Amino acid sequence: MSLLWFVSLVSLAAASPVPLSNLHRRAVTELNQAAFEEAQQPDTSATKAFAGTLIKTADNRCLFVDELSGDFRANLTPIQIADCGSTSGQNWDVITNGKHNNAPNSVLIVSTLTNACFNFDPRRPAGNQAILFSCGGRADGGGEVTNSQLFPFNGGAGPLSFSPENEPDTCFTVTNDVIDAAPCRAGDLSQLFTFGDALSLQTSVEATQATTPVTTTPIPTTTTLDQKTTTTSASRQATVTSAAGSAVAGGIPNPTEAVPVSGAGGVLQPTAVAESHQRDDGATRAFSSVSIQAPDGRCLFIDPTAGDFRENLIPVSLVRCAGTPNEKFDIITAGKHNNAENSALIVSSLMNGCISFDSRRASGDTVNIFSCGGRADGEGETNSGQLVPFTGGTQLILAPESERNATCLVPGNNRLDSAPCAGGNSQAFTIKT
């Protein structure tokens, strides 16, 4: 057991309640049964990844709800924490599709006691923003879908974080005997949970200790499930390698196990990564495993732990050229994700993601690595935000075809950014063979 794991458990244990009576925050003496049944209607046709499961914290306690801790409809109830098996209300359904969830790769967390959903409401006072509320987001049960109740999910049992899609830089966090909300912090045990008796969190923590130190810089961004569909905007923490040569010898390996990621908090899911970033073995490659040097002399660099759990939304960093695997790219001129003449995809040789431009994203975060084809789950075909002009040679103007070549990718603050094309070779990148 690592020292970090032990210290984290001690910290969490110290925050645990002693008497069970302290857990119950009863706000009403009884429910209005008719109003409760109207507001909290079960979705009997929903698709469930888990039914009646426990949700465990890193110190092996369980989440629960007291139906009388909210209002007369069992809305606004806090998500509490107690020893597993010591209270009622500890069972949860994990719903991936249904009346209140029409988003791919997202999940609702529903109490089997009250049928209410995990909900994040930033308008509420601090300390009372993570609550249970009628699924669909209307107090009377008449709502359909709200992103304040949807959380990214790839089908695994954890460890995972709960980061609401209406504010993806925020994570549900263990605070004493209740779930609160706080900025996502990679590797923070108080923000990691498992369904049932699935997995120990020790592997992820040990992996955190082994991760190469990098500089964490706040970068405004959005979260997209599909690059053709704009979703919620927010700020996130993206890992950007310093331009002052912080890319150590050997680079940063592409993980094969669940490790913390910095783009949206939570944990990398290798199965989801393999699905999202499939190598196109039949593609035509003008160059394979080459470095790309920016006009300012630095090289493009991909840190596979700096995005989300699928290795999407990774900033394209700029570093002193060192020849690491993180600096290697394939130039693809034809294939599954490129059906355009005189065009190329720039694909990371390390993790098979494409350099992508999306003008809908926040300023300073329009250029990222994303699944080739433009869909987060890897099912996309061709995306013009990933295609740039190429007719041969060793110079590239990275002018995305989605912008009719009027916008160019340029060196920014330690990462690729975008700006109007200037013409000539002042914005040309060099392929280093």
Side-chain angles (χ1 to χ4, degrees):
M1 181 179 293
S2 70
L3 178 61
L4 176 59
W5 173 250
F6 177 75
V7 170
S8 297
L9 287 184
V10 169
S11 174
L12 287 172
S16 302
V18 179
L20 183 60
S21 59
N22 289 345
L23 292 173
H24 296 274
R25 302 179 174 187
R26 298 224 157 178
V28 296
T29 57
E30 62 180 4
L31 300 177
N32 180 316
Q33 197 61 31
F36 168 70
E37 291 177 1
E38 177 186 50
Q40 317 295 355
Q41 300 177 41
D43 183 359
T44 56
S45 64
T47 301
K48 299 176 182 178
F50 298 91
T53 187
L54 301 175
I55 301 178
K56 292 189 174 183
T57 62
D59 60 345
N60 213 35
R61 294 187 293 155
C62 283
L63 307 192
F64 81 98
V65 60
D66 172 6
E67 62 183 353
L68 298 180
S69 62
D71 66 10
F72 66 95
R73 292 186 177 105
N75 280 328
L76 306 175
T77 52
I79 305 164
Q80 301 186 64
I81 309 165
D83 291 339
C84 296
S86 66
T87 72
S88 61
Q90 292 191 357
N91 296 104
W92 307 87
D93 289 344
V94 180
I95 292 179
T96 55
N97 184 264
K99 178 180 178 182
H100 303 296
N101 182 4
N102 60 4
N105 307 307
S106 294
V107 70
L108 293 170
I109 310 297
V110 183
S111 166
T112 61
L113 177 66
T114 67
N115 295 314
C117 280
F118 274 19
N119 187 87
F120 175 71
D121 188 347
R123 301 167 300 180
R124 296 183 61 79
N128 191 230
Q129 297 174 333
I131 55 174
L132 289 169
F133 202 81
S134 296
C135 297
R138 282 187 50 171
D140 62 1
E144 296 184 358
V145 177
T146 173
N147 62 2
S148 66
Q149 297 177 345
L150 294 175
F151 301 83
F153 181 67
N154 80 323
L160 75 165
S161 61
F162 295 124
S163 178
E165 294 186 2
N166 65 328
E167 196 157 328
D169 60 339
T170 294
C171 285
F172 281 15
T173 304
V174 173
T175 303
N176 299 319
D177 58 358
V178 71
I179 295 298
D180 200 354
C184 294
R185 299 178 292 266
D188 186 339
L189 292 182
S190 69
Q191 296 180 341
L192 294 179
F193 303 86
T194 57
F195 296 128
D197 293 308
L199 297 172
S200 164
L201 301 184
Q202 184 171 355
T203 299
S204 294
V205 176
E206 290 174 344
T208 302
Q209 291 180 312
T211 301
T212 303
V214 290
T215 303
T216 301
T217 305
I219 295 179
T221 187
T222 59
T223 294
T224 52
L225 295 176
D226 185 325
Q227 285 208 322
K228 297 176 183 177
T229 305
T230 304
T231 57
T232 306
S233 295
S235 293
R236 69 180 169 93
Q237 293 289 319
T239 302
V240 179
T241 307
S242 165
S246 63
V248 298
I252 300 171
N254 193 20
T256 58
E257 298 179 352
V259 299
V261 291
S262 58
V267 176
L268 183 143
Q269 300 290 347
T271 301
V273 172
E275 179 184 65
S276 297
H277 300 291
Q278 301 176 41
R279 190 176 192 273
D280 184 359
D281 290 324
T284 302
R285 288 171 166 80
F287 297 92
S288 295
S289 195
V290 292
S291 297
I292 299 178
Q293 190 172 39
D296 64 3
R298 293 178 292 174
C299 282
L300 308 190
F301 182 100
I302 306 302
D303 174 1
T305 68
D308 65 12
F309 70 97
R310 290 191 182 97
E311 294 186 359
N312 280 327
L313 302 175
I314 298 173
V316 182
S317 301
L318 291 163
V319 301
R320 185 177 58 205
C321 299
T324 64
N326 305 80
E327 299 166 54
K328 300 301 182 181
F329 296 85
D330 294 353
I331 313 298
I332 291 181
T333 55
K336 179 181 178 182
H337 303 296
N338 183 1
N339 60 5
E341 294 183 0
N342 301 319
S343 295
L345 294 170
I346 313 301
V347 184
S348 168
S349 307
L350 178 69
M351 44 73 64
N352 296 313
C354 278
I355 294 180
S356 302
F357 173 80
D358 188 345
S359 61
R360 300 165 300 183
R361 297 183 65 80
S363 176
D365 193 46
T366 55
V367 185
N368 286 289
I369 288 288
F370 204 82
S371 298
C372 295
R375 282 191 48 171
D377 60 3
E379 293 299 315
E381 294 183 359
T382 300
N383 183 294
S384 60
Q386 297 176 341
L387 294 174
V388 297
F390 182 73
T391 56
T394 58
Q395 292 225 310
L396 286 168
I397 302 293
L398 302 182
E401 297 189 359
S402 60
E403 307 307 299
R404 299 184 180 180
N405 309 131
T407 296
C408 283
L409 309 191
V410 298
N413 184 20
N414 294 338
R415 63 174 292 181
L416 277 192
D417 203 346
S418 56
C421 291
N425 290 325
S426 63
Q427 296 171 327
F429 290 72
T430 302
I431 299 169
K432 296 179 56 125
T433 58

